[in-house]
Amino acid sequence: MSDDDLVFKALADPTRRFLLDLLFARDGRTLTELESELEMSRFGVMKHLRVLEDAGLVVARKSGREKLHYLNPVPIRLIHDRWIDKYTERRVTALTELKAELEKDP
Protein backbone atom coordinates (compact mmCIF):
# COMPACT_ATOMS: atom_id res chain seq x y z
CA MET A 1 0.00 0.00 0.00
CA SER A 2 1.41 3.43 -0.95
CA ASP A 3 1.83 6.30 1.50
CA ASP A 4 -1.11 8.12 -0.10
CA ASP A 5 -3.29 5.02 0.29
CA LEU A 6 -2.41 4.77 3.98
CA VAL A 7 -3.30 8.43 4.53
CA PHE A 8 -6.59 8.15 2.64
CA LYS A 9 -7.45 4.98 4.59
CA ALA A 10 -6.67 6.71 7.88
CA LEU A 11 -8.71 9.79 6.97
CA ALA A 12 -11.68 7.70 5.79
CA ASP A 13 -12.82 6.96 9.35
CA PRO A 14 -14.68 9.65 11.36
CA THR A 15 -13.20 8.47 14.66
CA ARG A 16 -9.66 8.88 13.33
CA ARG A 17 -10.51 12.33 11.96
CA PHE A 18 -11.86 13.23 15.41
CA LEU A 19 -8.60 12.08 17.02
CA LEU A 20 -6.67 14.25 14.58
CA ASP A 21 -8.91 17.20 15.46
CA LEU A 22 -8.20 16.64 19.15
CA LEU A 23 -4.46 16.61 18.51
CA PHE A 24 -4.76 19.70 16.33
CA ALA A 25 -6.50 21.51 19.20
CA ARG A 26 -3.84 20.42 21.70
CA ASP A 27 -0.83 18.34 20.77
CA GLY A 28 0.94 15.92 23.06
CA ARG A 29 -1.98 14.00 24.54
CA THR A 30 -1.83 10.68 26.32
CA LEU A 31 -3.93 7.68 25.37
CA THR A 32 -6.02 8.26 28.50
CA GLU A 33 -6.77 11.86 27.46
CA LEU A 34 -7.76 10.80 23.96
CA GLU A 35 -9.81 7.87 25.24
CA SER A 36 -11.77 10.15 27.59
CA GLU A 37 -13.13 12.03 24.55
CA LEU A 38 -14.54 8.89 22.89
CA GLU A 39 -17.13 6.32 23.83
CA MET A 40 -15.06 3.26 23.02
CA SER A 41 -12.64 0.96 24.74
CA ARG A 42 -9.00 1.80 25.32
CA PHE A 43 -8.06 -0.93 22.85
CA GLY A 44 -10.37 0.54 20.22
CA VAL A 45 -8.64 3.92 20.55
CA MET A 46 -5.25 2.18 20.40
CA LYS A 47 -6.22 0.48 17.13
CA HIS A 48 -7.25 3.81 15.60
CA LEU A 49 -4.02 5.43 16.78
CA ARG A 50 -2.04 2.57 15.21
CA VAL A 51 -3.65 3.24 11.81
CA LEU A 52 -2.87 6.96 12.18
CA GLU A 53 0.74 6.16 13.15
CA ASP A 54 1.13 3.76 10.21
CA ALA A 55 -0.01 6.57 7.90
CA GLY A 56 2.48 8.95 9.52
CA LEU A 57 -0.31 11.27 10.72
CA VAL A 58 0.45 10.73 14.40
CA VAL A 59 3.81 10.40 16.07
CA ALA A 60 4.10 8.95 19.58
CA ARG A 61 6.96 9.81 21.92
CA LYS A 62 7.75 8.49 25.38
CA SER A 63 8.04 11.13 28.08
CA GLY A 64 8.93 9.43 31.32
CA ARG A 65 6.19 6.92 32.02
CA GLU A 66 3.78 8.50 29.56
CA LYS A 67 3.44 8.08 25.82
CA LEU A 68 2.42 11.35 24.17
CA HIS A 69 0.76 11.55 20.77
CA TYR A 70 1.48 14.39 18.36
CA LEU A 71 -0.12 15.40 15.08
CA ASN A 72 2.11 15.27 12.01
CA PRO A 73 0.40 17.45 9.37
CA VAL A 74 2.99 16.76 6.65
CA PRO A 75 1.17 13.77 5.03
CA ILE A 76 -2.04 15.80 4.83
CA ARG A 77 -0.16 18.66 3.22
CA LEU A 78 1.37 16.30 0.67
CA ILE A 79 -2.11 15.00 -0.18
CA HIS A 80 -3.32 18.58 -0.49
CA ASP A 81 -0.46 19.56 -2.79
CA ARG A 82 -0.91 16.53 -5.02
CA TRP A 83 -4.68 16.05 -5.12
CA ILE A 84 -6.36 19.29 -4.11
CA ASP A 85 -4.12 22.22 -4.94
CA LYS A 86 -4.13 21.53 -8.67
CA TYR A 87 -7.93 21.95 -8.70
CA THR A 88 -7.86 25.36 -7.03
CA GLU A 89 -6.83 27.31 -10.08
CA ARG A 90 -8.40 30.67 -10.88
CA ARG A 91 -11.06 29.18 -13.12
CA VAL A 92 -12.27 26.78 -10.50
CA THR A 93 -12.27 29.53 -7.88
CA ALA A 94 -14.29 31.74 -10.22
CA LEU A 95 -16.82 28.96 -10.74
CA THR A 96 -17.24 28.31 -7.02
CA GLU A 97 -17.69 32.04 -6.40
CA LEU A 98 -20.29 32.17 -9.17
CA LYS A 99 -22.08 29.15 -7.68
CA ALA A 100 -22.16 30.78 -4.24
CA GLU A 101 -23.46 34.04 -5.72
CA LEU A 102 -26.22 32.28 -7.64
CA GLU A 103 -27.31 30.27 -4.61
CA LYS A 104 -27.65 33.32 -2.34
CA ASP A 105 -31.13 34.10 -1.06
CA PRO A 106 -32.59 37.20 -2.73
Side-chain angles (χ1 to χ4, degrees), residues 43-57:
F43 294 107
V45 176
M46 288 171 60
K47 286 174 75 173
H48 283 294
L49 285 171
R50 170 50 68 198
V51 173
L52 292 168
E53 286 180 40
D54 289 346
L57 294 166

Side-chain angles (χ1 to χ4, degrees), residues 27-80:
D27 235 358
R29 293 183 189 231
T30 63
L31 175 61
T32 302
E33 290 174 296
L34 294 170
E35 175 191 1
S36 70
E37 300 285 337
L38 294 164
E39 292 186 22
M40 68 172 46
S41 71
R42 183 174 187 85
F43 294 107
V45 176
M46 288 171 60
K47 286 174 75 173
H48 283 294
L49 285 171
R50 170 50 68 198
V51 173
L52 292 168
E53 286 180 40
D54 289 346
L57 294 166
V58 170
V59 177
R61 298 279 183 249
K62 284 279 211 174
S63 178
R65 296 173 63 187
E66 295 181 318
K67 185 177 180 183
L68 303 177
H69 299 85
Y70 297 91
L71 174 66
N72 177 19
V74 174
I76 294 173
R77 181 58 194 223
L78 294 173
I79 293 290
H80 174 270

Side-chain angles (χ1 to χ4, degrees), residues 89-100:
E89 299 170 19
R90 265 188 337 181
R91 285 179 266 160
V92 174
T93 302
L95 288 173
T96 57
E97 289 171 359
L98 176 62
K99 179 182 182 298

Side-chain angles (χ1 to χ4, degrees), residues 7-23:
V7 173
F8 280 117
K9 176 185 173 190
L11 293 175
D13 184 87
T15 300
R16 291 192 283 269
R17 291 192 305 267
F18 181 72
L19 287 169
L20 292 174
D21 287 339
L22 290 174
L23 292 174

